[in-house]
Structure formats: structure tokens, C-alpha cells
Amino acid sequence: MKIILPREELRPYVRYYWMLESEEPFSVLTFPIGCPQIIFHRKSPLYIPELKSFQNTFTISGQVNFPAHIQSDGNLDMIVAVFYPHTVGMFIGTPPSAFYNQEISGYDIENQQLNDVAARIFDSTSGDEPIGILERWLLTRINSNLNLRRIASSIGELMRTPSVSVNILADKACLSRKQYERVFREQVGMNPKEYARVVRFQKAMRMLQCGSRDYACIAHHCGYADQSHFIRDFKAMNGHTPKSLIDHCAPYSDLFTCPV
């Protein structure tokens, strides 16, 4: 896998890109990472058993609250853009709430410019050319606004303190709770309380990744009510208790880890 950082102008909105070519079949368990993605498959798309479907050659992956396996037949060549939790809607012109817990075909949102970008990526032949094609289009779509900045600040607060109340987040955003929940859901793709569950899970994964095995300590630092709440919610997000996950694979938090 090759990881590529976006150019400076895009770094407030795009976390990173990754490219993967593989001739080996595989099946991997994935978890809610809290970040939407745009995916281009230049060969065989991945199969998602939980959704009983293949990804489209051009897929937009939304916020999810469940674990899923991804399966490749070994004929893989994919390019993925990973966005911050609240930014993908600005680029595609469709609120992420429209594809909550879904992976949709990018063609379904009927964005002709983005369709043209996909066509050029599929026709590209050299190295990092697909990333350059995508970035040139993304740069034309930057349109930051007050609500985007409000939600960006909220995401930062949630990552620091996942137990923070929605009322406090709404007050800091200078919005009523009802307005705040609406704006948050439109930009992030799920409501604040549900997204906080993803953040708590990812923060717990980070502590496990860093070697912590003190579940009471993890529960406290990640905003769970107690150790039982932590283990129950953790299993709902990935199908494993913390101990069984460690036996299954090395814990890794995408949301709290910079891959480059």
C-alpha cells in the first residue's frame, strides 16, 4: 500500500490518499473509522458480505456504525481518498447523511464533473497520475463556510473529550441544540451522540494499539461510563471484545493515527 499526503491547500479537508495493487486474494475485518472515503477501482471491486454486494468501480463510502469484512479476489488496483469526518459533502455536493451506513455508487449522485474525474482516473496509466487528477478537481470545490468551521471545531472537541455533552458542543458552536444536530448530521453523516460512539471506539483502539491493557483506564480516558460499558460498546463496533480482538489482529486506530 502507498500512502500519499494531500497538497497543502487540501490538508484541512483531505486526510490522505492510499493506493493498493494486489494479486493475492484476501479477507479483512474493517471497523467504523469515522471518515468518509471516495474509492476508485481500476480492476475488480471489493465484496462486502455484510451488505451482500460488491463495491461499485466508483464508490462513495459513508459513515457506518458496524463492522464489515472486505474481500478481494486478487485482481485489485484501487485508489482511495480519505476525508475528514465533516468535509466530503463540500466536494461532492451531496450531504453525507444521504448515504449513512451505505456504500453508494458515485454515479448515483449525478455529479457530472466528478463522473468525468472518475473516467480520467480509470484511463490514467502512470504512477501517481490518478491522485493529481483527483486533486486538481478537489481544489476547484473548496468552499469553506461558518458551519463547516463550527463542525470542525466540534470534531476536535469530541476527539479530545468524547464524553462532552451535545448541549456543550451546541453552545460552543453558537447554535441551538436542534440546529446543531441538524448541521452536524448533514455534514458528518450521523448525529453527534452516535459519532461520539465512533470516536470513543477509535480512541480505545488507539490506546490498545499503544499497548494499554488496563480496560478500566481505557474506559475512563475514552469517556465510557465504566469498564462494562466499554467492552459492550467496543464489541458492538467490531464484533470482538478487546481481548479477542487482540488475539485476532493488531489493534489500529485510523482516526487517531497519522499513517505517514
Side-chain angles (χ1 to χ4, degrees), residues 141-245:
R141 301 290 296 177
I142 295 175
N143 182 28
S144 185
N145 55 53
L146 178 57
N147 279 340
L148 195 74
R149 293 192 291 274
R150 283 168 165 161
I151 300 306
S153 178
S154 290
I155 296 295
E157 184 66 27
L158 274 171
M159 290 181 69
R160 288 188 294 273
T161 314
S163 60
V164 64
S165 74
V166 177
N167 286 335
I168 289 175
L169 292 174
D171 286 344
K172 289 187 175 183
C174 299
L175 294 169
S176 71
R177 176 167 176 150
K178 186 175 181 180
Q179 288 174 314
Y180 173 76
E181 289 180 326
R182 175 183 58 78
V183 172
F184 191 100
R185 185 169 57 253
E186 286 178 354
Q187 294 195 353
V188 176
M190 56 174 55
N191 66 51
K193 290 185 73 173
E194 187 173 17
Y195 190 74
R197 287 185 65 219
V198 175
V199 173
R200 285 196 299 269
F201 165 71
Q202 283 286 330
K203 195 163 190 173
M205 287 283 280
R206 177 61 179 171
M207 291 185 71
L208 292 171
Q209 177 185 341
C210 292
S212 176
R213 299 296 182 263
D214 184 337
Y215 298 157
C217 179
I218 293 173
H220 172 73
H221 282 286
C222 298
Y224 294 99
D226 52 36
Q227 184 172 325
S228 295
H229 178 211
F230 160 51
I231 293 173
R232 183 173 63 252
D233 220 43
F234 189 90
K235 186 174 182 180
M237 284 284 173
N238 76 99
H240 289 271
T241 66
K243 184 180 185 306
S244 67
L245 178 71

Side-chain angles (χ1 to χ4, degrees), residues 15 31-38 51 60-67 82-89 92 95-104 151 155 158 184-192 194-199 202 237 254-255:
R15 291 188 63 205
F31 320 118
I33 68 169
C35 296
Q37 302 170 80
I38 296 180
L51 300 177
I60 300 175
S61 180
Q63 297 283 5
V64 300
N65 61 8
F66 60 89
V82 181
F83 294 83
Y84 283 98
H86 60 294
T87 58
V88 73
I92 66 176
S97 53
F99 43 92
Y100 165 64
N101 270 350
Q102 296 182 64
E103 296 199 328
I104 65 169
I151 300 306
I155 296 295
L158 274 171
F184 191 100
R185 185 169 57 253
E186 286 178 354
Q187 294 195 353
V188 176
M190 56 174 55
N191 66 51
E194 187 173 17
Y195 190 74
R197 287 185 65 219
V198 175
V199 173
Q202 283 286 330
M237 284 284 173
D254 187 282
L255 188 61

Side-chain angles (χ1 to χ4, degrees), residues 26-30 46-50 55 68-72:
F26 64 79
S27 177
V28 176
L29 177 63
T30 63
L46 298 170
Y47 181 69
I48 315 296
E50 288 78 5
Q55 290 181 332
H69 294 79
I70 56 173
Q71 298 177 355
S72 169

